[in-house]
Amino acid sequence: MKIMVVGGGGREHAIIKKLKENKTVTEIFAVPGNAGMANDAVLVDIGAKEIDKIVAFAKENNIDYAVVAPDDPLVLGAVDALEEIGIFCFGPNKNAAIIEGSKVFSKNLMKKYNIPTAQYEVFNDIDNALKYLETAPIPTVIKADGLALGKGVIIALTREEAIDAVKSMMEDKVFGKSGDNIVIEEFLEGPEVSVLSFTDGKTVVPMISSMDHKRAGDNDTGLNTGGMGTIAPNPYYTKEIAEECMEKIFIPTMNAMNNEGRTFKGCLYFGLMLTKNGPKVIEYNCRFGDPETQVVLPLLKTDLLTVMQAVTNETLKETKVEFMDKNACCVIMASKGYPQSYEKGFEMIIPREIENSVYVAGASFKENKLVTNGGRVLGATAVSDSLEDAIKKAYEMVKTISFENAYYRNDIGQKALKAKGE
Ligand code: AMP
Ligand code: GLY
């Protein structure tokens, strides 16, 4: 089988490595991929948002199956366009990807179907938003409606910060059109859990839970990033909470999308907060999380392509999806300065013995050498029987990888270890 994976980060590298385990897979094309995955896939120089070119490439190269991983092409309708020429895909259609593409849509969906989430108001007019803020409970959370590279959420600890956030989104348009509509919502507190799930619109199968580390600095300080590391499973996510989430969140969300004529097929990501009033949805994503995927997929026992095809064929119910009874830890190595400005073009040395455990997110070739080419450069994932050992092994790997200006957090997994009492 010839497979095409759209996207170019660490998540896509993890997906590609897992797909390669299937013996029927003869060739994988990464569109665009990055130089760090050149040993695992054929790199195709087409951007993930260039849908027409992606479709033409798939047709010319007789692609049998396509996995569209990032939010942008999904929201733009890449799956619809590929399906139109008869290519089987993993990923939601455009009308279902809106669950991530519009926060106003997802909040209204949750309200309509009684799915637990933070209380909120929607505004398309700055004066009304500012008036609301005069009496809104503080802290409060301001969210731009559309995709904003994961940066469209501002937690305002004071009324002044809230006013500034609204002005920056609605007046200065720092997130462009994404700020035409905004959501102002209740500030929730509690441990956060990421649960990725496979769903074909008939069945929803949660994957092993995970914990992201979004802030740039140790002890959750500094700016928000795309994610500096992950562990799985998440110790806060007990069996009881999992059952409650299935009943009150996962199945109701799948049914709600069906009811709206927007059947979701693919990976539906639930960003949850375990509040003292029960689990609540912080956000939905229409795709695998990054870097959650780099700990979740290494723990998947079942063949990934088989599960993905079951989603496409709507036979997920008959497919066993099993995870190992182990722990995983992924430490992201970034370029110093990320998520703000950083330098790139530094030579990267990844020892051959650990290549299989390294997912490259941002690299290119310079004079045949692998060099850094992004804020998040790579993730090193270790799997072990205990979380403590997985953390230890992930950091041992990180210490053997080198590139100039490398930066990583030193405390990935520590909060989880404490929660486990280890
Ligand atoms: P998002 O970009 O939607 O993942 O949000 C980024 C981060 O903001 C989340 O991971 C949470 O830590 C935080 N956040 C989002 N919404 C809320 C909320 N209502 N209350 C508290 N924290 C929130
Ligand atoms: N790690 C969070 C996300 O993928 O959105």
Side-chain angles (χ1 to χ4, degrees):
M1 276 191 76
K2 287 167 98 175
I3 312 238
M4 172 174 83
V5 175
V6 177
R11 162 185 56 204
E12 287 75 11
H13 201 182
I15 291 171
I16 287 168
K17 278 189 191 284
K18 200 73 190 173
L19 287 172
K20 266 181 72 177
E21 291 175 10
N22 183 305
K23 295 283 171 286
T24 69
V25 173
T26 48
E27 217 167 4
I28 303 184
F29 296 91
V31 186
N34 74 65
M37 33 178 117
N39 290 340
D40 294 309
V42 178
L43 307 181
V44 180
D45 190 15
I46 296 174
K49 290 196 273 185
E50 297 183 285
I51 313 247
D52 291 347
K53 288 189 187 169
I54 292 172
V55 170
F57 175 85
K59 198 170 173 183
E60 274 160 31
N61 291 277
N62 298 313
I63 295 296
D64 297 301
Y65 194 71
V67 179
V68 181
D71 46 1
D72 282 318
L74 289 167
V75 170
L76 289 169
V79 168
D80 307 62
L82 287 163
E83 281 176 349
E84 212 160 277
I85 59 157
I87 292 178
F88 294 107
C89 294
F90 182 84
N93 290 115
K94 180 178 178 168
N95 77 350
I98 192 174
I99 198 165
E100 174 171 1
S102 165
K103 296 238 192 285
V104 173
F105 172 85
S106 65
K107 293 299 290 189
N108 289 344
L109 184 85
M110 289 186 269
K111 188 186 262 181
K112 181 168 172 189
Y113 293 93
N114 276 321
I115 297 165
T117 188
Q119 303 269 343
Y120 71 101
E121 299 286 337
V122 176
F123 297 95
N124 58 16
D125 175 280
I126 184 161
D127 294 332
N128 290 339
L130 293 174
K131 189 156 181 20
Y132 172 78
L133 282 182
E134 286 171 13
T135 53
I138 299 292
T140 189
V141 182
I142 326 273
K143 299 186 172 184
D145 178 38
L147 296 179
L149 295 171
K151 293 184 190 126
V153 175
I154 294 176
I155 315 270
L157 299 176
T158 64
R159 216 166 287 282
E160 290 66 41
E161 275 175 34
I163 292 167
D164 286 347
V166 166
K167 285 186 178 161
S168 72
M169 285 183 197
M170 301 193 91
E171 220 164 59
D172 308 337
K173 299 278 177 205
V174 291
F175 302 118
K177 282 190 78 62
S178 287
D180 288 353
N181 294 296
I182 62 164
V183 172
I184 302 185
E185 71 175 31
E186 175 196 7
F187 174 75
L188 298 176
E189 284 176 284
E192 283 186 58
V193 183
S194 306
V195 180
L196 283 56
S197 71
F198 292 108
T199 175
D200 60 358
K202 295 177 172 156
T203 313
V204 55
V205 179
M207 298 180 221
I208 199 163
S209 63
S210 55
M211 182 193 285
D212 195 3
H213 296 69
K214 284 207 162 94
R215 299 295 200 96
D218 286 1
N219 302 314
D220 296 330
T221 54
L223 294 172
N224 249 323
T225 70
M228 294 300 295
T230 37
I231 59 99
N234 185 323
Y236 289 104
Y237 192 70
T238 61
K239 201 163 152 272
E240 292 69 35
I241 293 175
E243 277 165 15
E244 190 179 352
C245 289
M246 192 69 180
E247 185 199 328
K248 294 188 180 154
I249 296 175
F250 305 160
I251 292 174
T253 301
M254 179 183 74
N255 290 341
M257 290 298 276
N258 286 338
N259 217 33
E260 295 293 310
R262 296 176 182 274
T263 294
F264 189 104
K265 288 170 65 175
C267 173
L268 181 54
Y269 167 128
F270 300 91
L272 306 170
M273 195 169 271
L274 309 180
T275 75
K276 59 180 190 309
N277 299 318
K280 298 197 178 185
V281 178
I282 288 277
E283 61 160 350
Y284 292 117
N285 289 329
C286 65
R287 52 171 175 87
F288 284 95
D290 190 343
E292 285 89 341
T293 304
Q294 290 90 309
V295 284
V296 169
L297 289 188
L299 294 173
L300 179 65
K301 253 202 262 182
T302 316
D303 174 60
L304 177 61
L305 182 60
T306 306
V307 184
M308 286 182 158
Q309 287 177 313
V311 169
T312 308
N313 301 331
E314 299 176 18
T315 55
L316 188 57
K317 195 165 185 224
E318 293 101 71
T319 309
K320 237 193 189 163
V321 183
E322 288 183 302
F323 285 85
M324 295 171 199
D325 186 15
K326 286 180 184 273
N327 292 263
C329 173
C330 172
V331 178
I332 298 293
M333 296 179 77
S335 302
K336 198 171 110 202
Y338 172 75
Q340 289 173 308
S341 63
Y342 52 83
E343 287 179 66
K344 44 193 191 184
F346 298 115
E347 189 181 346
M348 299 163 59
I349 312 278
I350 305 169
R352 198 162 279 276
E353 318 81 80
I354 62 164
E355 250 173 29
N356 258 340
S357 310
V358 173
Y359 305 112
V360 182
S364 60
F365 286 121
K366 194 165 87 186
E367 292 150 12
N368 281 329
K369 285 188 178 136
L370 198 62
V371 298
T372 61
N373 187 34
R376 287 192 292 181
V377 174
L378 59 84
T381 297
V383 172
S384 188
D385 288 332
S386 75
L387 175 60
E388 192 173 17
D389 194 49
I391 295 170
K392 188 169 148 257
K393 291 206 163 91
Y395 277 103
E396 277 168 10
M397 273 195 269
V398 162
K399 296 210 164 83
T400 66
I401 297 170
S402 63
F403 56 89
E404 223 173 284
N405 278 2
Y407 169 77
Y408 53 88
R409 271 178 66 162
N410 291 293
D411 66 337
I412 302 303
Q414 291 306 321
K415 207 197 296 177
L417 266 189
K418 269 204 200 99
K420 283 179 91 145
E422 274 181 19

